[in-house]
Amino acid sequence: MGRINFDLQELQAFVAVAERSSFKQAAEDLFLSQPALSRRIEKLEDMLGVKLFERTTRRVQLTNIGRVFLSNVRTALDELEGAILNMSDLAAHRTGIVTLACVPSAVHYFLPDVLKGFTERFPKIRVRIFDESAQDVLNLILAGEADFGINFAGAEDPEIDFHPIYKESYVLAMRHDHALAKRKKLSWKETASERYISVSKSSGNRSLIDNALAGVEKHPVIFYEVNHVSGILALVEAGMGVAAVPRLSLPKYMDATLVGIPLVNPSIHRTLGLISKRGRIMPPAARTLFDMLVQSSKTNKSVLPK
């Protein structure tokens, strides 16, 4: 086969018709007349020597070859867009928005430095952050309302790609003047008489703890329930009790009020990861931020608690 001189506009026209299944609607999207759009598709089919669409008076649908070609063209266009995005001389003029969903603790520990670097490279790209519960983050990804997320839920979901970035343990949060505050570690049995504060049973954190303690002889008694970890810590700080929380839930820069003592027998862990919807091609700007977070998780271990 000789060299084929593709026009980018012809490929974009092909994708538009394939996605809309209509020459009329695709022409409107591209601000073209239908005859002009048809000429672009015909030229593309002539160059390829294949028929990409089956046309009837009522509908337009891809041929088998057309479906294969569509997948390849989408990949090529995404890679081209990504290459353009990463060109330093064009990045400053790039606009758009990246939507990220994450559990609140991730905002404190994973995002600030990475977002600062991302904004320096792409100052005109906006970032929308949904800091929500684990289940809400997962739902946003599955619904396609966020480009990717940071979450400890989703690893076992067949529709989710899960890239682990940090394994954290659970600690007992308490005031610094608590009788147990100087301990290096605490078993759950030793804390059974404490007044526990917890998130509700619908929380992923609560489920993880309850499952892990199923075989423990003495269970903590929950005296107060709130919906969010931030509420838990406020009550702990007020001296209302203690709380088992993921280590990252504690303030990044611990003040003199709260301490977190590792809990053992059993030790409970959860793994935070970057999650995305399986099979969905991430927009180039989102992919760049995703990759920056992966790299940061590998090189900036010092910002994370031990």
Side-chain angles (χ1 to χ4, degrees):
M1 179 184 290
R3 181 178 179 181
I4 298 177
N5 295 314
F6 283 118
D7 187 316
L8 183 59
Q9 293 178 334
E10 291 158 5
L11 296 179
Q12 291 171 333
F14 165 69
V15 172
V17 175
E19 290 181 343
R20 301 290 274 172
S21 297
S22 166
F23 274 77
K24 180 177 183 296
Q25 292 177 355
E28 291 175 355
D29 290 345
L30 297 173
F31 301 101
L32 292 172
S33 66
Q34 287 190 57
L37 178 62
S38 294
R39 284 195 295 272
R40 289 186 182 182
I41 298 300
E42 290 169 1
K43 182 179 178 182
L44 185 60
E45 289 179 327
D46 288 342
M47 284 190 296
L48 293 172
V50 297
K51 195 172 184 178
L52 298 172
F53 294 102
E54 294 286 354
R55 305 170 178 85
T56 67
T57 56
R58 293 188 176 184
R59 64 176 183 170
V60 176
Q61 63 181 23
L62 287 164
T63 61
N64 290 335
I65 291 177
R67 281 191 287 272
V68 173
F69 188 59
L70 175 63
S71 176
N72 293 332
V73 168
R74 280 175 170 161
T75 299
L77 291 177
D78 284 335
E79 289 177 352
L80 176 60
E81 187 176 2
I84 293 173
L85 178 66
N86 288 308
M87 290 175 63
S88 59
D89 59 333
L90 294 181
H93 304 290
R94 180 77 184 187
T95 60
I97 186 165
V98 175
T99 302
L100 165 64
C102 62
V103 289
S105 58
V107 176
H108 300 291
Y109 285 93
F110 293 96
L111 292 184
D113 291 341
V114 174
L115 285 178
K116 183 179 179 181
F118 182 80
T119 299
E120 288 173 353
R121 291 177 60 187
F122 312 112
K124 293 190 177 183
I125 294 180
R126 295 177 294 148
V127 179
R128 180 190 294 127
I129 301 171
F130 293 114
D131 51 329
E132 303 287 353
S133 68
Q135 188 58 52
D136 287 338
V137 168
L138 185 59
N139 291 340
L140 286 166
I141 301 301
L142 292 172
E145 295 178 25
D147 296 312
F148 67 93
I150 305 176
N151 204 0
F152 62 87
E156 297 179 359
D157 193 307
E159 296 185 62
I160 290 293
D161 283 323
F162 188 94
H163 181 97
I165 56 174
Y166 183 70
K167 184 177 181 180
E168 63 174 331
S169 60
Y170 278 71
V171 298
L172 192 66
M174 64 184 70
R175 285 178 56 91
H176 76 286
D177 53 2
H178 191 283
L180 300 175
K182 302 299 183 182
R183 295 284 297 273
K184 296 296 184 182
K185 60 184 178 180
L186 289 164
S187 69
W188 288 89
K189 185 177 180 180
E190 289 177 295
T191 69
S193 62
E194 297 292 327
R195 297 178 70 88
Y196 266 78
I197 307 165
S198 175
V199 288
S200 64
K201 290 184 178 180
S202 62
S203 165
N205 279 320
R206 179 68 175 272
S207 297
L208 188 64
I209 292 173
D210 288 349
N211 290 337
L213 296 182
V216 174
E217 182 180 352
K218 290 186 178 181
H219 285 249
V221 177
I222 308 300
F223 283 84
Y224 305 100
E225 278 192 10
V226 294
N227 286 332
H228 302 289
V229 174
S230 58
I232 287 178
L233 296 179
L235 293 182
V236 172
E237 192 170 0
M240 302 298 293
V242 300
V245 297
R247 185 177 288 278
L248 290 186
S249 298
L250 295 173
K252 185 174 182 179
Y253 302 104
M254 291 287 286
D255 55 27
T257 306
L258 297 180
V259 297
I261 311 299
L263 284 162
V264 297
N265 298 325
S267 296
I268 303 178
H269 302 85
R270 73 177 188 179
T271 299
L272 277 169
L274 292 165
I275 66 172
S276 57
K277 190 171 183 178
R278 183 161 294 166
R280 181 175 184 264
I281 298 176
M282 206 178 297
R287 170 54 66 178
T288 299
L289 181 56
F290 182 98
D291 291 341
M292 290 176 68
L293 284 163
V294 171
Q295 187 60 35
S296 176
S297 71
K298 295 178 180 178
T299 58
N300 295 329
K301 299 294 186 183
S302 60
V303 303
L304 297 171
K306 304 297 184 183

